[in-house]
Amino acid sequence: MDPASLDAADPLASYRDRFVGADSDLVYFDGNSLGRPLAATRDTLAGFVGGPWGERLIRGWDEEWFDLPLTVGDDLGRLVLGAAPGQVAVGDSTTVLLYKAMRAAVAARPGRTEIVLDRDNFPTDRYVADGVARECGLTLRWIDVDPAAGVTADQVAEVVGEQTALVTLSHVAYRSAWIADAPAITRIAHAAGALVLWDLSHSGGSVPLELDAWGADLAVGCTYKYLNGGPGAPAYVYVAERHLDTLTQPIQGWMGAADPFLMGPTYTPTDGVRRFLSGTPPVLGMLPLRDMLTLLDEVGIQAVRDKSVGLTSYAIDLADQELAPLGVGVASPRDPGRRGGHVTLTHPAMREVVAALWQQDVIPDYRDPGGLRVGLSPLSTSYAEVECGVHAVRQALDEVS
Amino acid sequence: MDPASLDAADPLASYRDRFVGADSDLVYFDGNSLGRPLAATRDTLAGFVGGPWGERLIRGWDEEWFDLPLTVGDDLGRLVLGAAPGQVAVGDSTTVLLYKAMRAAVAARPGRTEIVLDRDNFPTDRYVADGVARECGLTLRWIDVDPAAGVTADQVAEVVGEQTALVTLSHVAYRSAWIADAPAITRIAHAAGALVLWDLSHSGGSVPLELDAWGADLAVGCTYKYLNGGPGAPAYVYVAERHLDTLTQPIQGWMGAADPFLMGPTYTPTDGVRRFLSGTPPVLGMLPLRDMLTLLDEVGIQAVRDKSVGLTSYAIDLADQELAPLGVGVASPRDPGRRGGHVTLTHPAMREVVAALWQQDVIPDYRDPGGLRVGLSPLSTSYAEVECGVHAVRQALDEVS
């Protein structure tokens, strides 16, 4: 099918115009690294300076901001994460929240000696786990994975046991886009008495999530990819309700304390997921995310997912037709049910190809070894853009080969 | 002297117009909790959405954002902190950076068993220290302080010794505005072999700082008070150059790793103060701060301090004349050389007074016990505003008494 017909048949096509720069000639295949801003966010931010910040000033904390990490968290839970209210808080970076969540999990499983993770997990996840393991006297138990796929439930079953404190995995793999079988892996980990921490950075806003239904314990994710929160936007943490009375994290700050404005002599963690907060929450940084959640409420995450599958399937079809003859492989699952919102194309020359494409305003990203990532943010990407980008890859490959 | 004459003689008076809402009738005595936005920040944020974020997209990281925590940090160091380049990084919340700095300090003094701090330190500082002490097996050594003043060098000298790993204090006390004698305290701590961590939240942007000259080891501060960064704006950390090769912090993230985009198998901390970063830095959140640093570069911190002393001295003079007869005390140092940018006025009815004032758009804040804080952000506050606010306090006291 030609891209014009696909765009004409796309029920979400018109949403593309809501994003800044959608009318430009740029081919943007990196919305899975940094999403485009919504045009509405320009007014949101300017209005915030002139209004709530500039006029309400300190009163804004009582009126709205103090609860913002939890109200935005509840919206995220409802629209994106499959989480009932009271389990999600927004704040800190993904890395800091991974640290808090891992420390909390390890403390909740005293005597257990291992953290299970895979070698293809995102670097910051591996680095945090390495640090937490070292400081808490645990060992990392590594799973090797097929780089074009990801961790399977069988692989997890082979390594978990009564020594396992925590299994920490990415729900969608950052290179291959493999979707882990979260319900099965969670059951396996729980059967061994371990907790599970999901990194949702590459799925939140593109793949529907069902944290409550999975029985997940903990989850963390970023908001600057498919949630269009802007560079370095705050992350979120999910803590299942059944753990909220017992899990505690080590960065004891006033915003996670019972009655923070009492400013009492000792720290007592407050009730609920707020105890995973530490310092003053980044109000400004949450506003673009809130705009995107408003849009997702309008569109619905399943419609986003449907378009995402359409875009990635089309990208793979084009790659098979036009790039496979040049030696390009598809290092992402071909089964759309196991594939997230991006597609990785491999070729030994991809580093040079990506550098050449950037010079022409075609913007994928490069991930070792030899992977060109085609990130297809569903609401801001058209089928025509996919075709244009794949043609550019072909041309660049011709030129660098 | 009447306030009109004081405003007429104020060389910085015209800068007030640069801030949103300065033309309103609001009396804002809480710029030491949340500073007013600069009007320029409205355009900065809207322009960022349309420009760097919306047009440059992921390329912004290479072009500017990756280094932003350090370039803004260097500007902070030069204009505010008295720190040579390469020692300051911006990111995370104050609480998270306090955690990192305390953990780094304690790890650098193995075998030492105590953290020294005072009971009037800001709650989040005390909470973090409590958590770090517990997890690292140390004891907190508390200093009791005069609530209308603060920690003295003699008090520190009495408690530090070869058991002291770290002395952690606020440079300006959040209730009394007492300015600690940082050079003397630092010398005393160093003579005992301890490290010193300063919380600069209540001084940065109002009291000139000389971290390098003091010989400080570590410092942390927030940017939403006198640095007008907006609610929940990112904090900063200073690590003295001599410690940059050895101090490490426990939240091992990709943005503090050597060559983060190599995404290698193991974490190696990068050189320099960047190793105190963990996750993706909050780009949007740094922009209002950068606007304020541009203004401070124009004005100069010493001129800001001169006006600050003028404002707090005037507030105390008025309180002595108009409020002392009603039983109001001044719980801040009378020596301007020992007083930061705010003044605390005490009376048993101050909780009710503050509540009544808020109803009339006069906005101080309340701090137990019985303290009304008059925060006087130098560039956005006029002498007329001080007079108007003190009159309102007198009237409210008359009404609630």
Side-chain angles (χ1 to χ4, degrees):
Chain A
M1 215 174 189
D2 72 298
S5 308
L6 289 164
D7 281 323
D10 171 15
L12 308 188
S14 67
Y15 289 106
R16 190 160 183 268
D17 297 333
R18 307 259 191 118
F19 294 87
V20 174
D23 54 348
S24 77
D25 291 333
L26 189 79
V27 173
Y28 193 52
F29 281 173
D30 225 349
N32 61 323
S33 280
L34 176 68
R36 285 184 183 278
L38 283 164
T41 294
R42 236 183 328 224
D43 297 335
T44 296
L45 295 176
F48 178 76
V49 173
W53 176 10
E55 286 180 7
R56 302 309 300 164
L57 290 154
I58 196 71
R59 297 170 289 189
W61 284 110
D62 289 347
E63 292 166 357
E64 180 175 26
W65 307 333
F66 183 72
D67 288 328
L68 204 61
L70 306 187
T71 55
V72 176
D74 281 349
D75 286 344
L76 255 174
R78 176 171 59 89
L79 299 166
V80 174
L81 305 178
Q87 303 176 103
V88 180
V90 178
D92 294 321
S93 66
T94 310
T95 301
V96 167
L97 290 180
L98 284 169
Y99 180 80
K100 291 181 181 182
M102 288 190 202
R103 286 286 308 272
V106 163
R109 288 293 179 272
R112 291 182 173 235
T113 56
E114 289 186 358
I115 297 173
V116 169
L117 72 171
D118 72 284
R119 292 197 194 279
D120 231 29
N121 205 343
F122 191 75
T124 219
D125 300 67
R126 292 186 273 110
Y127 300 161
V128 171
D130 174 55
V132 168
R134 186 141 21 88
E135 66 174 309
C136 298
L138 280 78
T139 306
L140 298 182
R141 178 75 174 257
W142 292 102
I143 298 175
D144 288 312
V145 295
D146 174 354
V151 185
T152 65
D154 287 346
Q155 287 180 302
V156 173
E158 275 171 32
V159 298
V160 296
E162 59 187 19
Q163 76 288 353
T164 312
L166 174 67
V167 176
T168 181
L169 302 170
S170 287
H171 179 241
V172 167
Y174 80 105
R175 289 199 280 209
S176 70
W178 168 263
I179 301 178
D181 186 347
I185 290 171
T186 303
R187 275 194 303 274
I188 290 163
H190 286 180
L195 296 172
V196 182
L197 165 60
W198 291 104
D199 185 334
L200 307 173
S201 294
H202 284 272
S203 35
S206 124
V207 178
L209 302 165
E210 292 294 341
L211 290 172
D212 287 347
W214 300 347
D217 302 294
L218 294 151
V220 165
C222 87
T223 68
Y224 46 78
K225 300 179 186 289
Y226 297 108
L227 293 168
N228 305 68
Y236 56 88
V237 63
Y238 162 93
V239 184
E241 189 174 19
R242 64 186 178 281
H243 294 307
L244 284 172
D245 288 342
T246 48
L247 288 189
T248 55
Q249 53 86 13
I251 308 178
Q252 301 185 163
W254 67 324
M255 285 293 158
D259 200 349
F261 294 102
L262 188 67
M263 303 194 171
T266 53
Y267 174 83
T268 306
T270 189
D271 292 336
V273 71
R274 175 178 282 283
R275 62 171 57 188
F276 273 71
L277 299 182
S278 300
T280 307
V283 175
L284 190 68
M286 284 187 254
L287 301 179
L289 166 63
R290 198 163 61 168
D291 287 342
M292 186 62 184
L293 291 174
T294 300
L295 179 58
L296 285 175
D297 202 9
E298 188 180 332
V299 179
I301 192 71
Q302 189 55 53
V304 171
R305 170 63 176 165
D306 293 343
K307 177 161 180 192
S308 174
V309 169
L311 288 167
T312 56
S313 298
Y314 180 59
I316 290 176
D317 288 348
L318 283 180
D320 284 343
Q321 290 162 32
E322 306 197 9
L323 304 179
L326 301 175
V328 170
V330 174
S332 293
R334 286 180 175 273
D335 171 5
R338 286 260 82 82
R339 187 177 66 233
H342 65 276
V343 171
T344 293
L345 305 175
T346 53
H347 187 283
M350 279 308 189
R351 186 188 290 274
E352 294 74 32
V353 167
V354 170
L357 291 172
W358 276 44
Q359 297 304 315
Q360 308 160 35
D361 277 356
V362 175
I363 313 290
D365 66 17
Y366 176 77
R367 289 292 178 263
D368 256 336
L372 179 152
R373 264 197 332 192
V374 181
L376 298 168
S377 192
L379 291 171
S380 59
T381 309
S382 65
Y383 290 89
E385 204 175 351
V386 176
E387 188 197 42
C388 182
V390 172
H391 285 176
V393 172
R394 187 183 59 194
Q395 194 168 16
L397 264 173
D398 278 338
E399 284 166 14
V400 305
S401 299
Chain B
M1 214 174 190
D2 71 297
S5 308
L6 289 164
D7 280 322
D10 171 15
L12 307 189
S14 68
Y15 288 105
R16 191 160 181 270
D17 298 333
R18 307 260 191 119
F19 294 87
V20 174
D23 54 349
S24 77
D25 290 335
L26 190 80
V27 173
Y28 195 52
F29 282 172
D30 224 348
N32 60 325
S33 280
L34 176 66
R36 285 184 184 278
L38 284 164
T41 295
R42 237 185 325 227
D43 297 335
T44 296
L45 294 177
F48 178 75
V49 174
W53 177 9
E55 286 181 7
R56 302 310 298 163
L57 291 155
I58 197 69
R59 297 170 290 190
W61 284 109
D62 289 349
E63 291 166 358
E64 179 175 27
W65 307 332
F66 184 72
D67 288 329
L68 203 61
L70 307 186
T71 54
V72 176
D74 281 350
D75 286 344
L76 255 174
R78 175 171 59 90
L79 298 167
V80 174
L81 305 177
Q87 303 175 103
V88 180
V90 177
D92 294 320
S93 66
T94 310
T95 301
V96 168
L97 290 179
L98 284 169
Y99 180 80
K100 291 181 182 182
M102 287 190 202
R103 286 286 308 270
V106 164
R109 289 295 181 269
R112 291 181 173 238
T113 57
E114 288 185 358
I115 297 173
V116 170
L117 71 172
D118 72 285
R119 292 196 193 279
D120 233 28
N121 204 344
F122 190 76
T124 220
D125 300 66
R126 292 186 273 110
Y127 299 161
V128 171
D130 174 54
V132 169
R134 186 141 21 89
E135 66 175 311
C136 298
L138 279 77
T139 307
L140 298 182
R141 179 74 175 256
W142 293 102
I143 298 175
D144 289 311
V145 295
D146 175 353
V151 185
T152 65
D154 288 346
Q155 288 179 299
V156 174
E158 276 171 34
V159 297
V160 296
E162 59 188 21
Q163 76 286 359
T164 313
L166 174 68
V167 177
T168 180
L169 300 171
S170 286
H171 178 241
V172 167
Y174 81 105
R175 288 199 280 210
S176 70
W178 168 264
I179 301 177
D181 186 346
I185 289 171
T186 303
R187 275 195 304 275
I188 290 163
H190 285 180
L195 296 173
V196 183
L197 165 61
W198 292 103
D199 186 335
L200 308 174
S201 294
H202 285 270
S203 35
S206 124
V207 178
L209 302 165
E210 291 294 341
L211 290 172
D212 286 348
W214 301 346
D217 302 295
L218 293 151
V220 165
C222 88
T223 67
Y224 47 78
K225 298 177 188 291
Y226 298 108
L227 293 168
N228 304 68
Y236 56 88
V237 61
Y238 162 93
V239 183
E241 189 174 17
R242 66 187 177 282
H243 294 306
L244 284 173
D245 289 341
T246 49
L247 288 190
T248 56
Q249 53 85 13
I251 309 178
Q252 301 186 163
W254 67 323
M255 285 294 157
D259 199 349
F261 294 101
L262 189 63
M263 303 197 170
T266 54
Y267 175 83
T268 306
T270 188
D271 293 337
V273 72
R274 175 179 281 282
R275 63 171 57 189
F276 272 71
L277 299 182
S278 300
T280 306
V283 174
L284 190 67
M286 286 188 252
L287 301 179
L289 166 63
R290 197 162 63 168
D291 286 342
M292 185 61 184
L293 291 174
T294 301
L295 179 58
L296 285 174
D297 202 9
E298 188 180 331
V299 179
I301 192 72
Q302 190 55 52
V304 171
R305 170 64 176 166
D306 293 344
K307 177 160 181 195
S308 173
V309 169
L311 288 167
T312 55
S313 298
Y314 180 59
I316 289 175
D317 288 347
L318 283 180
D320 285 342
Q321 290 162 35
E322 305 197 8
L323 305 179
L326 301 175
V328 171
V330 173
S332 294
R334 287 180 174 275
D335 172 6
R338 286 261 79 84
R339 187 176 67 233
H342 65 275
V343 172
T344 293
L345 305 176
T346 54
H347 187 282
M350 280 307 189
R351 187 188 288 274
E352 294 73 31
V353 167
V354 170
L357 291 172
W358 275 44
Q359 297 304 315
Q360 309 160 35
D361 277 357
V362 175
I363 313 289
D365 67 18
Y366 176 77
R367 289 290 179 264
D368 259 334
L372 179 151
R373 263 196 333 189
V374 181
L376 299 167
S377 192
L379 290 171
S380 58
T381 309
S382 65
Y383 288 89
E385 204 174 352
V386 176
E387 189 197 41
C388 182
V390 172
H391 286 177
V393 172
R394 186 183 59 195
Q395 193 168 12
L397 264 173
D398 279 337
E399 285 166 15
V400 304
S401 299

